[in-house]
Amino acid sequence: MQRTLSLADVLALQDYVTIGGDLLLLPQVRLPNLSESFALQKAGIIDIETSMTARNRLSLQQIDEENRYYHERAYGNPEPAWVAQLPLHRQKWLRWSYATRELDPIANMVMLPNTGLYYMVLADGLCHRAAQVLDLFRLQEVNQLGFLQAPWVAMTNQHFVTPLSNSTRWLHSLDVMCVGSAIGRNIGLEERGAFSTLRTALLSHDRGTPAGGDSVKLIDPKAFDEDRHYKRLLRTKTNRRRWNDLKEKYDIDELLLVETIHNRGFLGQILDIADKLSYVARDIESCMNVFVAEKDEDVYVGMKALDELLKEQRTICGIWDSVRRQGDQMVFIDAGRLIAFLKARIVLFRELYFHPRARFGEYLISRVLVKHMYDQGKLTRDQLLGMSDGRLLQLLQEEYGEWNVVRALSLKSQVRSFQTREQASAFKRELEQEGNPFSLVEDHLHAVKTGAHFWVDCPGGPKPLSEAYPGDAQELWEMANMLPAVHVYYLNKGDDPADDIGTILGRIRQTALT
């Protein structure tokens, strides 16, 4: 069995590590930090034009440096001694450029922040072929966060911005495949069929995501339950033969694949944690870039806890290297790092995913505008599963004209939160009796799962975190239950909706608003 790959190992790579034949873990490379650069420019410390001139002057020297490095390392030679005299960021760049020089990727160099992982996926391997057969490239045009609105938009009267980040479901799928493959390698999942099955599940777990992502799933949760319909989506009329060929070539176990997608069995446990690590890693970056650039103490108060956690652990999602296998149970050998990650995840849910100011935009678009077209048969489930976000927005434009009314409403709207639907509905009735022009109940109850069910290693043997560290589990529970779950959005009495809002809402049945 090959040596376990640790976070420290990947941070110090000089060459690439191959996993599954087509996934490469790459040496670190120092990418420009946008928030850092923005802060320096704002403070007048650097000038963009001067910096660009200096960069162009160095480019020819750097190209010569890269060519020299490549030739001296050819045929597996060790890194030359002169490299140690260079700045660290140049050392990292030379290692990365050497590792990737002769490769043919389907995904260029990808950094998965907060994990320590840089990776590339090669063409003509399992991932490339599975993406073709299962039509996964469509996910390049589906945004990871759907119509979720940055909560600080409405809170600071900024312009409405969508999407919150440019991450797509395809990028997320690749991230999950990378993290889960690294875990599979570390635990010695060397049986070809099991590893191929796991990697196919990791890559295709979001196969059934509709245009609009999780925002659109709200209109019909059962119909858009991607796990529930996964098996049927494997064998469409157009891909049945190609799917059978792929299974045979890579020895994929279809029954085990479906079980894994449903998070059952040991492989399902790997998919579950790889998924969580991947979306938290990227979404933390989206939030913290804004937090670091602006540092508005009032608006970003919710990000302070996340900032403090990151100061303690910069690679807070790098606990993929802490996973071990004991029988059919996935166990974390470092409980402290797991707890820190779970805290960061809860803060992200509380301050972004479930924040009422973040969800109002997506709720209005999906539960009112998209749902109305869906109920009328103008949008079908199969259409939404086959189209891109861009096509969905085009159809909304055709249906509603100036449909993008979210900014106008979000800047004027108030929000009141409640613990139950009954309390929220009673408040909405009060608003209607007082003559308020618009109110909307977000009736999707939220519950953040703490992750205390994950098993950890401890002196008495592996146990669920909730049993091994009950005090920490209680703290996680308290963090997850700080906010009410049901929100009512409304305009103050006397505020009139914009004309386009009134026109659109007037065309929609009243039942679509309740």
Side-chain angles (χ1 to χ4, degrees), residues 340-476:
F341 163 73
L342 294 175
K343 287 181 178 179
R345 178 175 173 270
I346 289 172
V347 172
L348 200 60
F349 268 86
R350 198 177 68 203
E351 304 299 336
L352 178 61
Y353 305 139
F354 290 171
H355 195 292
R357 286 298 189 183
R359 292 183 62 84
F360 173 62
E362 73 165 350
Y363 206 74
L364 179 64
I365 295 173
S366 62
R367 288 282 288 170
V368 177
L369 305 184
V370 177
K371 189 174 189 305
H372 177 64
M373 294 181 67
Y374 183 77
D375 290 342
Q376 295 293 315
K378 296 177 180 179
L379 277 174
T380 67
R381 176 179 176 274
D382 288 343
Q383 285 177 318
L384 288 166
L385 288 176
M387 69 174 59
S388 66
D389 284 0
R391 177 57 179 159
L392 176 57
L393 296 178
Q394 181 183 357
L395 292 175
L396 288 172
Q397 179 76 25
E398 293 172 359
E399 176 70 14
Y400 299 111
E402 295 298 324
W403 67 272
N404 194 353
V405 300
V406 180
R407 175 175 175 266
L409 265 181
S410 65
L411 295 182
K412 288 186 174 183
S413 69
Q414 306 295 317
V415 60
R416 183 81 64 86
S417 301
F418 302 90
Q419 295 289 353
T420 67
R421 290 189 181 95
E422 291 73 19
Q423 294 171 336
S425 298
F427 179 68
K428 184 176 187 299
R429 287 193 295 271
E430 291 178 15
L431 292 174
E432 292 169 347
Q433 291 170 2
E434 294 173 1
N436 283 74
F438 173 84
S439 61
L440 176 66
V441 177
E442 182 187 0
D443 60 359
H444 183 70
L445 283 171
H446 307 310
V448 182
K449 296 179 180 179
T450 64
H453 67 283
F454 287 120
W455 284 54
V456 295
D457 197 21
C458 52
K463 296 178 182 178
L465 178 64
S466 57
E467 297 179 19
Y469 299 93
D472 292 292
Q474 177 65 24
E475 183 181 1
L476 291 171

Side-chain angles (χ1 to χ4, degrees), residues 162-175:
T162 185
L164 174 61
S165 78
N166 292 319
S167 296
T168 66
R169 283 290 168 138
W170 170 240
L171 178 58
H172 170 68
S173 298
L174 291 171
D175 289 344

Side-chain angles (χ1 to χ4, degrees), residues 58 81 86 181 190 254 278 507:
L58 285 171
L86 297 175
S181 296
E190 298 170 334
E254 185 170 323
S278 298
R507 294 171 57 190

Side-chain angles (χ1 to χ4, degrees), residues 59-86 90-91 93-95 97-99 101:
S59 61
L60 292 177
Q61 174 187 335
Q62 292 173 352
I63 291 173
D64 290 340
E65 207 173 69
E66 290 164 19
N67 287 333
R68 179 185 174 191
Y69 183 87
Y70 177 77
H71 288 296
E72 291 190 26
R73 287 213 55 188
Y75 309 109
N77 292 328
E79 187 169 81
W82 57 266
V83 176
Q85 307 303 315
L86 297 175
R90 286 299 301 160
Q91 295 180 37
W93 177 264
L94 288 174
R95 291 163 188 155
S97 61
Y98 167 74
R101 188 160 179 158

